[in-house]
Amino acid sequence: MISDSSKLALVAVAAILGILVGLRVSNNMKSTSSWNSKLHIDAILTEQRLLRAEEKANQLNSESDTGTANLGPEPPKWQLVIEKANPVHFVHIRNAFRTLGWVEKNDTSDWKLLWSYRDPFYSHHPSFVAIKAMAPGQKVNQLPGSGWFTYKWYLAEVAPKLDCLPITFQLPRARNEFISFAKQHEGQYDWVVKNEGHKGVKAVTPESEAVAKIVNNTLVQQLVRPVLISGRSWDLGVYVAITSSHPLKVYVYNDIVLRFCQAKYIDPVVEPENVNAYVVGDHYTAPWELPATKKHLDKGLNYLQALQRVLKEQGHAVDDLVPQLKVLILELLLKMQPKLKGVSDGYTHGASSFFAMYRFDFMLDQHLRPYIMEVNLSPNLSSTRHQPLAGLFIKVLNDLVRLVGFGPEGAHRNIEMSPEIEQQLSSKDVGAADSNSCQACVDTDCASTQIDCVARCAACRTPAQQQAILDVVSEHAHQGPNWSRVYPIPQDLKELAAQYVKQQPPVGDLNNMLQEWMQSACQKDGTWC
């Protein structure tokens, strides 16, 4: 029998290796292109060592389960479903949960969390049946219906209606519509074509033979001419956590992924074949490889701060950049929320069973206007190609699992919320009215005209309504300094976001209740504002 101390030692080794990868970031900022290949090999070897250590720890856990019974509380179980993907890409994910004391078990039905790499909501996915039969309190890290904004083809359908997206047409279906639009706005736009996977990007004109011959599904999109940094085009990826689609709850992370083209920018209309000059591909130039951004990273700034500093040095006003990104994210998600809720309602326990993290990829044009270029389902969290990103990925994952209540003190660590945790969260129901007001609600069968009884009094809430309040209290306690709430809308975004919320308010009664509760909470505690 393997001793518990031996098991813990191996787990600790795995955790330390993960941390060391992150600690090497500052040193690797001093890298030059001459040793990029060595950096790539070191990253692969490091992650493979960590993967082997994790697999060994899993084996010891399995052996231990057949021995003596655990004397302490049973650790929460989770499953990782990666299908045919390379396991080395999930090292940071596995390490995040192991550090928090979770046990990976793929041969059991009493898991707390199922983490799927791909969209699991189709019949031939290996976890489809398990998801359909989920118990109350079990959670999946994907949102039903998210394909409406993560699949480029569907995203293109709403592009003409939203300011956050570049103008896009689906070819060959909308070829005549595209040609007509281009003629009406001649000289205002240039265009690129790309397939559904955002590959095969090439500049075209509406009357070109390339457009006329398109027979397979292809997108033709407004060309966004970027503001350049060090003469290069670039994009930025913003991490967005949706902890529920009903009530809608959205958070944005305070750091980004920053990627530059491999070659200096050349207008694609002039040289359409030089794709590396205007398309950020999988093999991109990292910010620590460019002096303009590297000098700020070397001072300890994160990627978002370094980007803001560089843009400011170039004479751009950047104070409103992050609020603009948040509002554009909100615009898209408010448009999609009815679809998300509608699909989630088809599952036994509705939206409460699902959460997800996405990466919204933006480009900024020459006037610093941001556009959402795509939304990534299961964004890359492997630092195999770019080892210095390990620190960011580890931090994002740790902050995500705590936000959704999976940390050591989290509300959702076990399948059923413990009475102790429920009592702790209920004591933080700062949006509740005073006892006299709530008694007046009870006396009128929760129909008082003086206050919103459901939002303000626990005695008037259904179990689903009470759970919605407890969940947002838990998230508020665990969001930490790195997540910022975008919806329900905080006070500092309300003016900027007002036009979008008016156009497309979220559907479902829980949204109105939560908004009312938060207004009351804000009056009592400024951290809720």
Side-chain angles (χ1 to χ4, degrees), residues 130-302:
I131 292 173
K132 279 290 188 180
M134 288 170 65
Q138 289 184 312
K139 288 187 178 288
V140 176
N141 76 313
Q142 301 287 1
L143 290 184
S146 61
W148 291 107
F149 59 89
T150 58
Y151 295 160
K152 286 78 174 177
W153 189 256
Y154 295 141
L155 191 60
E157 293 179 353
V158 298
K161 306 171 187 176
L162 299 177
D163 293 336
C164 61
L165 301 170
I167 300 167
T168 309
F169 295 90
Q170 300 164 318
L171 270 57
R173 183 185 66 80
R175 191 190 335 259
N176 292 336
E177 182 183 351
F178 162 58
I179 293 174
S180 175
F181 179 91
K183 287 181 178 178
Q184 292 175 17
H185 300 84
E186 188 172 1
Q188 295 183 34
Y189 303 101
D190 289 307
W191 304 94
V192 293
V193 293
K194 56 181 72 175
N195 61 30
E196 294 179 80
H198 270 217
K199 306 298 182 184
V201 180
K202 183 178 179 181
V204 295
T205 59
E207 65 276 4
S208 68
E209 186 177 356
V211 170
K213 288 186 174 181
I214 289 174
V215 294
N216 297 320
N217 286 348
T218 303
L219 300 175
V220 59
Q221 189 172 84
Q222 165 194 352
L223 172 63
V224 177
R225 284 192 167 82
V227 57
L228 302 180
I229 293 178
S230 297
R232 297 176 190 247
S233 182
W234 51 278
D235 67 10
L236 64 108
V238 179
Y239 292 106
V240 178
I242 304 177
T243 57
S244 169
S245 61
H246 181 231
L248 181 64
K249 293 178 294 178
V250 183
Y251 299 83
V252 167
Y253 205 67
N254 76 345
D255 202 357
I256 61 171
V257 172
L258 185 58
R259 310 181 304 175
F260 294 86
C261 283
Q262 288 184 310
K264 289 202 171 184
Y265 184 75
I266 300 175
D267 194 311
V269 175
V270 178
E271 288 191 27
E273 303 299 331
N274 194 355
V275 176
N276 286 335
Y278 62 93
V279 176
V280 178
D282 293 335
H283 298 277
Y284 57 86
T285 298
W288 54 86
E289 297 174 308
L290 293 180
T293 45
K294 180 180 181 295
K295 66 181 181 181
H296 298 299
L297 296 172
D298 286 346
K299 295 176 182 177
L301 300 185
N302 67 24

Side-chain angles (χ1 to χ4, degrees), residues 25 192 194 198 316 399 416 444 501:
V25 172
V192 293
K194 56 181 72 175
H198 270 217
H316 298 286
D399 290 340
E416 294 185 5
T444 59
V501 180

Side-chain angles (χ1 to χ4, degrees), residues 329-350:
I329 290 167
L330 180 60
E331 180 191 13
L332 178 58
L333 293 180
L334 284 173
K335 183 69 176 178
M336 296 300 176
Q337 188 268 344
K339 294 180 182 293
L340 296 175
K341 178 186 179 298
V343 180
S344 294
D345 285 347
Y347 290 83
T348 304
H349 309 291

Side-chain angles (χ1 to χ4, degrees), residues 228-527:
L228 302 180
I229 293 178
S230 297
R232 297 176 190 247
S233 182
W234 51 278
D235 67 10
L236 64 108
V238 179
Y239 292 106
V240 178
I242 304 177
T243 57
S244 169
S245 61
H246 181 231
L248 181 64
K249 293 178 294 178
V250 183
Y251 299 83
V252 167
Y253 205 67
N254 76 345
D255 202 357
I256 61 171
V257 172
L258 185 58
R259 310 181 304 175
F260 294 86
C261 283
Q262 288 184 310
K264 289 202 171 184
Y265 184 75
I266 300 175
D267 194 311
V269 175
V270 178
E271 288 191 27
E273 303 299 331
N274 194 355
V275 176
N276 286 335
Y278 62 93
V279 176
V280 178
D282 293 335
H283 298 277
Y284 57 86
T285 298
W288 54 86
E289 297 174 308
L290 293 180
T293 45
K294 180 180 181 295
K295 66 181 181 181
H296 298 299
L297 296 172
D298 286 346
K299 295 176 182 177
L301 300 185
N302 67 24
Y303 298 108
L304 175 58
Q305 293 164 341
L307 171 63
Q308 292 174 306
R309 192 68 61 87
V310 171
L311 291 174
K312 192 171 183 178
E313 290 171 349
Q314 294 183 183
H316 298 286
V318 298
D319 291 345
D320 291 334
L321 176 58
V322 171
Q324 286 178 354
L325 299 178
K326 290 179 178 179
V327 166
L328 295 185
I329 290 167
L330 180 60
E331 180 191 13
L332 178 58
L333 293 180
L334 284 173
K335 183 69 176 178
M336 296 300 176
Q337 188 268 344
K339 294 180 182 293
L340 296 175
K341 178 186 179 298
V343 180
S344 294
D345 285 347
Y347 290 83
T348 304
H349 309 291
S352 65
S353 299
F354 309 103
F355 72 96
M357 184 176 74
Y358 306 94
R359 195 185 73 220
F360 282 58
D361 287 348
F362 285 86
M363 285 188 68
L364 274 59
D365 72 8
Q366 294 166 329
H367 306 289
L368 231 62
R369 175 181 173 177
Y371 291 91
I372 298 173
M373 305 305 294
E374 64 176 318
V375 182
N376 292 274
L377 178 82
S378 296
N380 174 45
L381 293 170
S382 169
S383 54
T384 299
R385 284 182 177 167
H386 296 282
Q387 187 180 357
L389 287 175
L392 172 61
F393 293 160
I394 291 169
K395 186 171 64 170
V396 168
L397 279 165
N398 286 338
D399 290 340
L400 174 67
V401 296
R402 285 179 167 85
L403 172 67
V404 294
F406 293 157
E409 70 293 347
H412 298 301
R413 191 172 173 82
N414 300 309
I415 289 182
E416 294 185 5
M417 186 181 292
S418 70
E420 294 78 14
I421 291 291
E422 187 169 352
Q423 179 62 36
Q424 290 175 18
L425 295 177
S426 296
S427 69
K428 299 177 182 179
D429 186 352
V430 294
D434 60 75
S435 57
N436 290 335
S437 297
C438 282
Q439 185 59 50
C441 279
V442 172
D443 292 342
T444 59
D445 292 329
C446 297
S448 171
T449 59
Q450 301 302 312
I451 65 170
D452 187 324
C453 290
V454 172
R456 305 291 303 283
C457 301
C460 292
R461 298 171 190 154
T462 66
Q465 292 165 340
Q466 177 66 5
Q467 188 62 54
I469 298 296
L470 297 184
D471 283 346
V472 79
V473 169
S474 171
E475 290 167 15
H476 182 73
H478 300 131
Q479 73 182 74
N482 294 321
W483 289 109
S484 299
R485 192 180 78 240
V486 174
Y487 202 89
I489 303 173
Q491 293 289 340
D492 61 355
L493 275 186
K494 280 193 172 180
E495 184 176 351
L496 195 59
Q499 57 178 315
Y500 302 116
V501 180
K502 186 176 181 180
Q503 291 171 5
Q504 185 68 55
V507 300
D509 60 304
L510 294 179
N511 291 295
N512 293 332
M513 180 206 70
L514 195 57
Q515 287 278 21
E516 180 71 22
W517 183 91
M518 282 199 161
Q519 288 180 14
S520 175
C522 173
Q523 293 173 4
K524 297 179 181 180
D525 181 349
T527 64

